[in-house]
Amino acid sequence: MAPTLILKTGTSWPDAWRRCLAVAPEAFRDDRVLNLWNGAWQEDGRALPAVSPVDGSPIAGPPRVDGTTAHRAVCAALDQHRAWRHLPLEERRARIAATLDALTEHRGLLALLLVWEIGKPWRLAQADVDRAIDGVRWYVDGVEPMLAGRSPLDGPVSNIASWNYPMSVLVHALLVQALAGNAVIAKTPTDGGVACLTLACALAAREGVPVTLVSGSGGELSQALVRAPEIGCVSFVGGRDTGAAVATAVADLGKRHVLEQEGLNTWGIWNYSDWDTLTAVIPKLFDYGKQRCTAYPRFVVQRHLFDAFLAAYLPAVRTLSVGHPLAVEQPDDPYPQLDFGPVINAAKAKELKDQVAEAIDRGAVPLHRATPDGARFLPGQDTSAYVQPVTLLNPPPSSPLHHAEPFGPVDTIVLVDTEAELLAAMNASNGALVATLSTDDRATYDRLAPQIRAFKVGHGAPRSRGDRDELFGGLGASWRGAFVGGDLLVRAVTRGPQGERLPGNFPEYQLLP
């Protein structure tokens, strides 16, 4: 009989909230977080109710402001920008470095907030915080040559990002943009991360970094955060539908932009035999339930290798551990080692389960469907946001699982017989951020990889978003605007020589780095 699990000591949401009130009382109230604009914490906006995906319990929701308030915040950010852009680099560097020291001091609390707000297991929550700190510190230590001959933009950078990486994507971007001489604005993701972002921004604001943080409906705030003439650049991370609307707006206005959009990242198997290597990597591909822009939810497999592929794949996927990220046997036990916890909310869990059921109804073959029997849950907890791993063979063309990224622990497999079919299946979503081709023959990889429409293509190993000096972008519909990573991130948010063409995917040109 499995032991009864309990919550690890000191990790409850009330525990985390009390710590937030103690660390940053200016940004947190008894029952809500505040918005930050015009250099002050504002008790405005309508705080919406929210629940944790971990167990359905109430947590702090975003205090949503209206479009008028958002425009006032943008105007105030422009005033901050005009002062900040003239601050000497050494002063900007000192303030960002002090912010990193503060984030390091409160690393554990930031990670705990990520667990409750977006369901990350402890290991991955810590990694999100650490990648933000380490990534920005790399720029602090070496930004001078990146800024040589360059100047800040004419207005602040507006950031609209998805909920899955509040620290290593959003906070990382904010601090590098500020280091480069820009005031920065962030919209809190609607689906989670408000308390973590509020704490991080409070620590930055204390050091004099010109950061604005507001919550609200993307549709209502887009006029201010995307279209306002005061905005110098729009940085967006999210889905293609919303991204397309942002792309149209910035193109019409001729505004600097960085738009990272989803794509169906694929893993091809062609004339391959190193199955032990594949078996070892499969569990890692399920980190955070594949709720990552660089997840691999699609395998494209040479038909005559399908039996060997399954022999390597199925034992690995059966080892995955799922459950409550803070559930332990004894109060002071270490955090559980999980591959993933819940998806972002119960509505997303239902959507995924419905898509799987519909795909099977229309002909997909279920190869693996895990049950919750071995999952680590507290007695009686709400598990409505949890999805067990699923693998389907040949989802029908009518299913969203055939052509779109599921953003959850659902793998699909497509069988092919020719290289042309392999490439067509790997390019099903008109562009992706990453892809991998596993083949024993290096010459085959060198010949096929350039025909795969992904920004990064690995040879038998996964590619990731990367950080520090690793560049990042997307091909096709997966990216619009300037590419980032390394010195390209600094170039994307600064002005260079007259007539400069930034590497990126723009309406008038595409320039690979």
Side-chain angles (χ1 to χ4, degrees):
M1 182 176 176
T4 300
L5 299 179
I6 60 174
L7 199 66
K8 181 174 171 61
T9 298
T11 65
S12 72
W13 174 257
D15 289 331
W17 190 254
R18 282 191 291 271
R19 290 169 65 185
C20 289
L21 290 170
V23 172
E26 70 272 28
F28 294 83
R29 290 293 179 266
D30 289 341
D31 59 349
R32 61 173 290 175
V33 300
L34 305 185
N35 291 299
L36 171 62
W37 58 275
N38 196 26
W41 292 95
Q42 312 279 350
E43 198 165 349
D44 53 14
R46 181 168 61 93
L48 296 186
V51 298
S52 170
V54 170
D55 62 1
S57 59
I59 58 173
R64 295 167 64 129
V65 300
D66 57 21
T68 300
T69 303
H71 192 258
R72 291 173 60 200
V74 168
C75 291
L78 178 61
D79 291 338
Q80 290 179 305
H81 180 84
R82 287 170 171 164
W84 177 261
R85 71 193 306 270
H86 296 296
L87 212 61
L89 173 58
E90 281 308 308
E91 179 61 26
R92 300 199 305 264
R93 188 208 306 266
R95 295 189 189 188
I96 300 298
T99 300
L100 297 178
D101 291 342
L103 293 174
T104 301
E105 180 183 353
H106 299 291
R107 167 181 180 258
L109 177 54
L110 291 162
L112 184 58
L113 293 171
L114 290 180
V115 173
W116 281 109
E117 293 192 286
I118 61 174
K120 285 201 169 186
W122 180 252
R123 168 180 61 88
L124 299 178
Q126 282 189 309
D128 193 14
V129 177
D130 291 344
R131 284 185 65 185
I133 296 169
D134 296 343
V136 177
R137 205 175 294 280
W138 182 83
Y139 285 93
V140 168
D141 292 341
V143 75
E144 288 100 333
M146 302 182 200
L147 287 173
R150 309 192 67 82
S151 60
L153 300 175
D154 294 333
V157 182
S158 177
N159 293 267
I160 303 169
S162 57
W163 44 266
N164 53 340
Y165 285 89
M167 293 295 297
S168 63
V169 172
L170 185 48
V171 171
H172 177 278
L174 294 174
L175 295 180
V176 176
Q177 293 160 5
L179 179 64
N182 304 287
V184 292
I185 304 168
K187 187 184 91 65
T188 303
T190 303
D191 288 325
V194 59
C196 178
L197 282 171
T198 299
L199 178 58
C201 289
L203 298 176
R206 284 182 182 176
E207 304 301 335
V209 178
V211 58
T212 294
L213 180 67
V214 293
S215 297
S217 158
E220 190 170 4
L221 301 193
S222 65
Q223 192 66 32
L225 300 185
V226 175
R227 294 181 171 272
E230 293 87 354
I231 297 295
C233 175
V234 176
S235 177
F236 171 86
V237 179
R240 288 194 179 182
D241 291 343
T242 305
V246 175
T248 299
V250 295
D252 290 347
L253 298 167
K255 196 182 292 291
R256 184 74 65 90
H257 58 284
V258 177
L259 310 181
E260 176 188 326
Q261 301 172 150
E262 64 188 16
L264 185 60
N265 305 318
T266 58
W267 193 300
I269 306 288
W270 190 261
N271 292 339
Y272 181 69
S273 62
D274 188 5
W275 301 112
D276 289 344
T277 295
L278 183 66
T279 297
V281 81
I282 292 297
K284 298 181 179 69
L285 301 182
F286 277 87
D287 271 358
Y288 196 32
K290 302 211 172 193
Q291 297 177 103
R292 299 176 290 127
C293 65
T294 54
Y296 286 83
R298 167 69 50 81
F299 289 89
V300 181
V301 182
Q302 193 173 10
R303 189 181 305 273
H304 82 82
L305 295 178
F306 184 47
D307 57 339
F309 171 82
L310 282 185
Y313 175 89
L314 289 176
V317 81
R318 288 172 182 147
T319 68
L320 295 172
S321 55
V322 183
H324 190 305
L326 303 171
V328 294
E329 294 182 20
Q330 300 296 327
D332 295 322
D333 279 354
Y335 291 90
Q337 294 296 309
L338 301 174
D339 293 292
F340 59 94
V343 296
I344 187 58
N345 52 45
K348 179 62 179 179
K350 182 179 184 305
E351 176 190 285
L352 285 169
K353 292 172 183 176
D354 288 349
Q355 287 178 352
V356 168
E358 182 183 47
I360 293 172
D361 230 18
R362 296 182 179 181
V365 179
L367 298 176
H368 174 73
R369 281 187 283 185
T371 68
D373 296 345
R376 297 174 56 90
F377 293 129
L378 299 179
Q381 79 161 81
D382 184 323
T383 60
S384 58
Y386 290 79
V387 178
Q388 299 300 317
V390 176
T391 307
L392 301 179
L393 175 66
N394 289 338
S398 58
S399 168
L401 297 176
H402 179 80
H403 55 79
E405 183 182 10
F407 232 63
V410 179
D411 272 351
T412 58
I413 301 172
V414 173
L415 302 182
V416 295
D417 296 298
T418 67
E419 289 184 357
E421 290 177 323
L422 174 81
L423 292 170
M426 293 189 72
N427 293 332
S429 68
N430 184 26
L433 304 174
V434 296
T436 289
L437 179 61
S438 288
T439 180
D440 293 342
D441 181 38
R442 180 72 202 197
T444 299
Y445 173 82
D446 291 340
R447 178 167 46 81
L448 296 179
Q451 302 177 67
I452 298 171
R453 288 180 57 75
F455 186 79
K456 297 180 180 181
V457 181
H459 186 192
R463 300 303 307 270
S464 69
R465 192 178 199 279
D467 53 17
R468 302 183 182 182
D469 57 349
E470 187 170 355
L471 307 183
F472 193 59
L475 297 187
S478 67
W479 197 278
R480 296 286 184 267
F483 296 144
V484 295
D487 69 314
L488 292 190
L489 176 52
V490 172
R491 289 170 66 183
V493 294
T494 54
R495 295 202 178 280
Q498 184 71 26
E500 176 186 46
R501 298 207 319 164
L502 296 174
N505 184 15
F506 295 92
E508 62 275 18
Y509 72 89
Q510 181 186 79
L511 179 62
L512 295 176

